[in-house]
Amino acid sequence: MQLTDPLVQNLKEAARRASLNAYCPYSRFPVGAAVLTESGEIYAGANVENASYGLTLCAERNAVAQAIAAGNRQILAVAVFTPTPSPTPPCGACRQVIAEFGSQADVFGFSNGPEVFHARLDRLLPEAPRHEGMPPPP
């Protein structure tokens, strides 16, 4: 699948909309993410914080989980939106989870400012350990 500008804009908008639903009473840092799967579907997620910080779920991992729960196993691109002056790329844990399903995925970062972050996942997490994954469900 070709990543066209309109498709990337759709990812950005899905991530932006998801950020509006973030549950972030502790950090006050809403994040939205959207993943594009090999099937062409887009799944979005927001960060969900918890008083027990280690149980907090990042937006990127939430979006990946949505895609996997729907039966998709191949991620082609990820967009992250933060309402900040410049983009914020995924944390290390999110990079590893993305690598499991899209080691060559394009990763985009968007914000309220004009700057756009773009890199392939294998550049952000070189030599990431990953499993070949399970086949999609029947």
Side-chain angles (χ1 to χ4, degrees):
M1 172 177 291
Q2 182 76 2
L3 274 181
T4 62
D5 284 341
L7 189 52
V8 172
Q9 287 306 310
N10 287 346
L11 272 174
K12 174 186 177 181
E13 183 56 23
R16 187 198 65 75
R17 281 192 316 268
S19 75
L20 299 174
N21 294 320
Y23 177 75
C24 51
Y26 307 104
S27 72
R28 306 225 187 287
F29 188 69
V31 181
V35 299
L36 172 68
T37 64
E38 188 174 49
S39 68
E41 295 177 83
I42 294 175
Y43 297 88
N47 56 323
V48 179
E49 294 180 349
N50 191 281
S52 176
Y53 188 73
L55 298 179
T56 292
L57 183 62
C58 294
E60 299 92 326
R61 287 183 277 155
N62 192 337
V64 169
Q66 298 291 326
I68 300 310
N72 291 281
R73 298 288 188 265
Q74 186 63 41
I75 293 173
L76 301 180
V78 178
V80 181
F81 178 86
T82 54
T84 54
S86 58
T88 303
C91 73
C94 289
R95 293 175 191 197
Q96 180 58 51
V97 169
I98 296 165
E100 184 78 12
F101 303 101
S103 63
Q104 308 258 325
D106 283 280
V107 178
F108 296 91
F110 300 100
S111 64
N112 288 333
E115 183 183 347
V116 175
F117 173 86
H118 179 219
R120 264 195 15 197
L121 197 282
D122 57 358
R123 187 189 122 226
L124 296 175
L125 192 66
E127 300 187 39
R130 77 180 198 95
H131 182 270
E132 289 306 314
M134 294 175 57

